[in-house]
Amino acid sequence: MASTLKDVAQHAGVSTATVSRVLNGDPRITEATRTRVLKCVRQLDYTVNTIARSLKTARTFTIGLVTPEIANDFFMKVAQAVEVRIREDGYNLMICNSNESIAEERHRVELLLGKCVDGLILIPAGPDGTHLRSLSERNVPVVLADRLLQGFQTDAVLVDNASGTRQAIDYLVDAGRDRFGFIGGDLRITTAKERYAGFCEAITAKGLTVHSDHYKFGDFHTETGYALMGELLSEENPPDTVFISNYYMHVGATQYLVRHRDLVPPGFLVASFDDMELSRVVGYAGLTIAQPVTEIGSRAAELLLERMRGRKPTSPRIERLRTRLVHHHVSAR
Amino acid sequence: MASTLKDVAQHAGVSTATVSRVLNGDPRITEATRTRVLKCVRQLDYTVNTIARSLKTARTFTIGLVTPEIANDFFMKVAQAVEVRIREDGYNLMICNSNESIAEERHRVELLLGKCVDGLILIPAGPDGTHLRSLSERNVPVVLADRLLQGFQTDAVLVDNASGTRQAIDYLVDAGRDRFGFIGGDLRITTAKERYAGFCEAITAKGLTVHSDHYKFGDFHTETGYALMGELLSEENPPDTVFISNYYMHVGATQYLVRHRDLVPPGFLVASFDDMELSRVVGYAGLTIAQPVTEIGSRAAELLLERMRGRKPTSPRIERLRTRLVHHHVSAR
DNA sequence: CTGTTAGCGCTTTCAA
DNA sequence: TTGAAAGCGCTAACAG
């Protein structure tokens, strides 16, 4: 079927070594043979079998990315940025889905290792990383993105979740808000934990009291955001300002608001982590915390490439990127 | 570093063939040797080198997916569904980004072929598929999703873009709307073309006149939707009903509306192809056309798996899935 | 400048 | 039930 290097060699009347050299741009090859070989390559519609090449060279020029969710704008924007950066260095990206399961995460990582990826970027599915220990022994470079891991030490690129949240709450309190609700993600996940911590810090620092029946937690999905906003608004004395820990919950929560306008107290305002194109369109969003999504990806890629070059065998580096407050001047409704 | 099958064999005092058999569940192996081998596998933290295995077996149990955009909810939902389906059969998904470029698409496809994927799902970047001809010669099964291709024949899973659009327009006309604007994607892309065709058909069938300075086209991105909505509303006599050809343009267009409320005529309404979680939240959306995203992915996977099983060497099958009209009872603003 | 050759890690006949 | 050995397609010494 697919023609091999040997086929090309025969057609061109040279050795396989020569063909290989031509393919790899070895300079000491006659222009004559080079063109002859390349002609045969074209004629036979030859493509290298990178499987075979990788088996020999022990390099794949592929880096793996494992993400807890594939249909997730935030993660995919990170992936996109990773790809852009690594492609500059000639690497390809292979994306795998851990489906928010630690077990699947392990499988995906093993799959990728079996495929001999040269490096790995991991957006962890859970807080625990002990199942990844084997990675260090094989010394495959790994960089974490977005979330931190316990029991596994490597480079990581994160944002400053706590201070980003603090900043938003400070702003809102200064603007006169004092009846806060909170809709957060699973506290075992570092981002969710840090954001909640930042929230609480800000609240207490401003001398407000923590009103924990107004604080709801769940996974980070749209439906959950919807449900939790419902819970909040059906309380006797609902908050008038709700901080939402992430984008998809924000979307869900807003769906609830749109469908239940009558339940929404006057002056109601939502602030949320993550600023996406849609945050600007979604009602009730007064304030969002923008993460440097692209930078997360490109920095993660950068750290990984450095590790892969073998340079800087330093101890794990954890980079915290800054968030940015975005004010939305939505007209009241 | 990583231990090999040979290492395991030595430790267990057996041949590599035996280890291989144990690993592959060959039944005619003593329980004794099996356990001994497996113990060594664990001790040495052995993982198969699938690269080597694939070189030998010419199978990778991987299928490739090439998408024009990676940070795109619609495509990724398709990808997600593909993955779910193929995983049932033990296959893994490798996602690559063609970045809406035919040249890159070719490269990604070649990359994937070089990696010996067992099959390919392609969401084409452009209308032309002549650069994919080599695929048929290598007889790697390929299934197209979402968009059709010229100059390359294979199975495809699409939705009925024209009739979906027609249905929506019919509904709107029956509801008394008659001043339509249209914001569409690049007409070289089959989905955009079909939707526009459906629109025009419906308009003329209803006896309305085509008012083509109210019809704007561009790529299918948020910014473009924003800009085109701007163009429409700054016309002397703007339409009061705008049909938008896809989700991201819908988002962009809505951003424009939200920021320029004063320009929005009373009774203004937007209808759009694609129904996402967010459509329900976005203002001005009266009607959306839901695509069976999950089904697109799972059917594409199904067709591919069938081809890969080598069965049914039938001629190319093109499946058109039906869309569904979704009415949004958004309160007026 | 080009050819010969060994071997990457695995599977798989063929023999025993 | 297990082992020996060939070979998948490629690269990289080492020769020449």
Side-chain angles (χ1 to χ4, degrees):
Chain A
M1 244 135 5
S3 47
T4 72
L5 187 145
K6 201 167 149 193
D7 299 333
V8 176
Q10 280 170 352
H11 274 252
V14 295
S15 73
T16 59
T18 302
V19 178
S20 172
R21 286 184 188 116
V22 170
L23 259 30
N24 293 294
D26 191 316
R28 34 175 212 181
I29 290 274
T30 330
E31 198 45 41
T33 55
R34 151 166 285 114
T35 50
R36 187 151 41 94
V37 167
L38 288 178
K39 206 179 106 200
C40 294
V41 164
R42 239 168 282 120
Q43 277 179 354
L44 298 182
D45 193 29
Y46 168 80
T47 329
V48 279
N49 181 326
T50 50
I51 292 262
R53 172 183 285 174
S54 296
L55 181 58
K56 181 68 193 173
T57 60
R59 299 204 63 183
T60 53
F61 279 98
T62 303
I63 87 133
L65 173 81
V66 181
T67 162
E69 224 179 353
I70 218 167
N72 178 307
D73 248 30
F74 177 77
F75 296 148
M76 287 307 110
K77 284 186 180 189
V78 173
Q80 173 95 296
V82 167
E83 199 196 30
V84 168
R85 177 60 191 88
I86 65 174
R87 201 173 279 180
E88 286 175 17
D89 283 36
Y91 287 87
N92 296 293
L93 190 62
M94 178 164 179
I95 299 175
C96 289
N97 187 359
S98 67
N99 218 358
E100 292 173 50
S101 140
I102 296 220
E104 284 199 37
E105 178 170 281
R106 207 233 307 288
H107 287 135
R108 296 307 121 199
V109 168
E110 266 165 19
L111 171 79
L112 258 6
L113 288 187
K115 286 192 183 297
C116 301
V117 293
D118 298 331
L120 216 52
I121 290 189
L122 177 65
I123 307 177
D128 188 57
T130 42
H131 62 298
L132 301 170
R133 285 274 165 77
S134 60
L135 280 174
S136 7
E137 279 142 33
R138 280 160 201 266
N139 61 19
V140 181
V142 189
V143 175
L144 306 180
D146 185 50
R147 302 171 177 178
L148 218 43
L149 228 37
Q150 262 137 32
F152 182 70
Q153 298 276 332
T154 15
D155 294 352
V157 179
L158 317 162
V159 302
D160 202 331
N161 292 294
S163 83
T165 309
R166 242 184 284 126
Q167 216 182 327
I169 300 300
D170 284 354
Y171 176 88
L172 291 168
V173 173
D174 293 346
R177 300 274 165 175
D178 59 359
R179 292 192 47 73
F180 284 93
F182 186 90
I183 292 181
D186 184 334
L187 291 181
R188 285 167 305 180
I189 300 207
T190 51
T191 46
K193 190 166 69 185
E194 292 168 4
R195 288 168 198 178
Y196 183 57
F199 174 81
C200 291
E201 281 169 32
I203 290 291
T204 52
K206 286 289 185 184
L208 299 179
T209 45
V210 169
H211 210 319
S212 55
D213 43 324
H214 286 172
Y215 307 162
K216 310 280 182 184
F217 302 91
D219 58 36
F220 53 92
H221 291 124
T222 309
E223 302 76 42
T224 313
Y226 186 95
L228 295 182
M229 183 57 94
E231 287 185 24
L232 270 184
L233 287 195
S234 56
E235 283 178 5
E236 296 172 44
N237 200 1
D240 66 352
T241 312
V242 175
F243 186 88
I244 302 178
S245 194
N246 69 64
Y247 177 57
Y248 283 96
M249 290 186 120
H250 182 194
V251 171
T254 308
Q255 272 177 21
Y256 187 88
L257 297 174
V258 167
R259 293 206 191 139
H260 304 269
R261 302 217 171 209
D262 44 317
L263 292 180
V264 180
F268 190 78
L269 184 96
V270 167
S272 164
F273 221 92
D274 290 329
D275 180 76
M276 307 292 232
E277 289 83 355
L278 285 142
S279 310
R280 261 147 251 157
V281 158
V282 153
Y284 303 104
L287 191 64
T288 49
I289 301 172
Q291 300 197 52
V293 221
T294 305
E295 211 187 333
I296 294 174
S298 51
R299 282 306 297 162
E302 195 65 52
L303 294 190
L304 187 65
L305 289 169
E306 281 178 10
R307 288 274 178 208
M308 280 165 30
R309 283 190 215 107
R311 292 189 204 154
K312 316 198 181 185
T314 51
S315 51
R317 296 164 292 176
I318 299 195
E319 292 198 2
R320 288 273 180 186
L321 271 28
R322 308 192 75 131
T323 57
R324 191 171 45 83
L325 229 51
V326 181
H327 301 270
H328 299 273
H329 311 285
V330 269
S331 43
R333 11 198 104 188
Chain B
M1 241 132 9
S3 48
T4 73
L5 188 146
K6 201 166 149 196
D7 299 332
V8 176
Q10 281 171 351
H11 274 253
V14 295
S15 74
T16 59
T18 302
V19 179
S20 173
R21 287 184 186 116
V22 170
L23 259 30
N24 292 294
D26 191 315
R28 36 171 211 185
I29 288 276
T30 331
E31 198 45 42
T33 55
R34 154 166 281 115
T35 50
R36 187 150 43 94
V37 167
L38 287 178
K39 206 179 108 199
C40 293
V41 165
R42 240 167 282 120
Q43 278 179 353
L44 297 182
D45 192 30
Y46 169 80
T47 330
V48 280
N49 182 328
T50 50
I51 292 264
R53 172 181 286 174
S54 297
L55 181 58
K56 183 69 194 171
T57 61
R59 298 205 63 183
T60 53
F61 279 98
T62 303
I63 87 136
L65 173 81
V66 181
T67 163
E69 223 178 355
I70 217 166
N72 179 308
D73 248 29
F74 177 77
F75 296 148
M76 288 305 109
K77 284 185 181 189
V78 172
Q80 173 95 295
V82 168
E83 199 196 29
V84 168
R85 178 61 192 86
I86 65 174
R87 200 173 281 182
E88 285 173 17
D89 282 36
Y91 287 88
N92 296 294
L93 189 63
M94 179 163 175
I95 299 173
C96 288
N97 186 1
S98 68
N99 218 358
E100 291 172 51
S101 142
I102 297 218
E104 284 197 37
E105 179 171 281
R106 208 234 305 290
H107 287 136
R108 296 308 120 199
V109 168
E110 267 167 16
L111 171 80
L112 258 8
L113 289 186
K115 287 193 185 294
C116 301
V117 293
D118 298 331
L120 216 52
I121 291 190
L122 177 65
I123 306 176
D128 188 58
T130 42
H131 61 298
L132 301 171
R133 285 272 166 76
S134 59
L135 280 175
S136 6
E137 280 143 33
R138 280 159 203 265
N139 63 17
V140 181
V142 190
V143 175
L144 305 179
D146 186 50
R147 301 169 178 181
L148 219 42
L149 229 35
Q150 262 138 34
F152 182 71
Q153 299 275 332
T154 14
D155 294 353
V157 179
L158 316 162
V159 301
D160 202 332
N161 291 294
S163 82
T165 308
R166 243 185 283 125
Q167 216 182 327
I169 300 299
D170 284 354
Y171 176 87
L172 290 168
V173 174
D174 292 346
R177 300 273 165 176
D178 58 359
R179 294 193 45 75
F180 285 93
F182 186 91
I183 292 181
D186 184 335
L187 290 181
R188 286 168 304 180
I189 300 206
T190 51
T191 47
K193 190 166 67 186
E194 291 169 5
R195 288 167 198 179
Y196 183 57
F199 174 80
C200 291
E201 281 169 33
I203 290 290
T204 52
K206 285 290 184 184
L208 299 179
T209 46
V210 169
H211 210 319
S212 56
D213 44 323
H214 285 172
Y215 306 162
K216 311 282 183 184
F217 302 91
D219 57 35
F220 53 90
H221 291 124
T222 309
E223 303 75 41
T224 313
Y226 186 94
L228 295 182
M229 184 56 94
E231 286 184 25
L232 270 185
L233 287 195
S234 56
E235 282 177 7
E236 296 171 43
N237 201 1
D240 65 352
T241 313
V242 176
F243 186 87
I244 302 177
S245 192
N246 68 64
Y247 177 57
Y248 283 97
M249 290 185 121
H250 182 194
V251 171
T254 307
Q255 271 176 22
Y256 187 89
L257 297 174
V258 167
R259 293 208 192 137
H260 304 268
R261 302 217 168 206
D262 43 316
L263 293 180
V264 181
F268 190 79
L269 185 95
V270 168
S272 164
F273 221 93
D274 291 329
D275 179 76
M276 307 293 234
E277 289 84 356
L278 284 142
S279 310
R280 261 146 250 158
V281 157
V282 155
Y284 302 104
L287 191 64
T288 49
I289 300 172
Q291 300 197 54
V293 222
T294 305
E295 212 186 334
I296 295 174
S298 51
R299 281 305 299 162
E302 195 65 51
L303 294 190
L304 187 65
L305 289 169
E306 280 177 10
R307 287 273 178 210
M308 282 169 23
R309 282 190 216 105
R311 291 188 205 155
K312 317 199 179 184
T314 52
S315 51
R317 297 163 292 177
I318 299 196
E319 292 199 2
R320 288 272 179 187
L321 272 29
R322 310 193 73 133
T323 57
R324 190 171 46 82
L325 228 52
V326 181
H327 301 269
H328 299 273
H329 312 285
V330 270
S331 43
R333 11 198 105 187

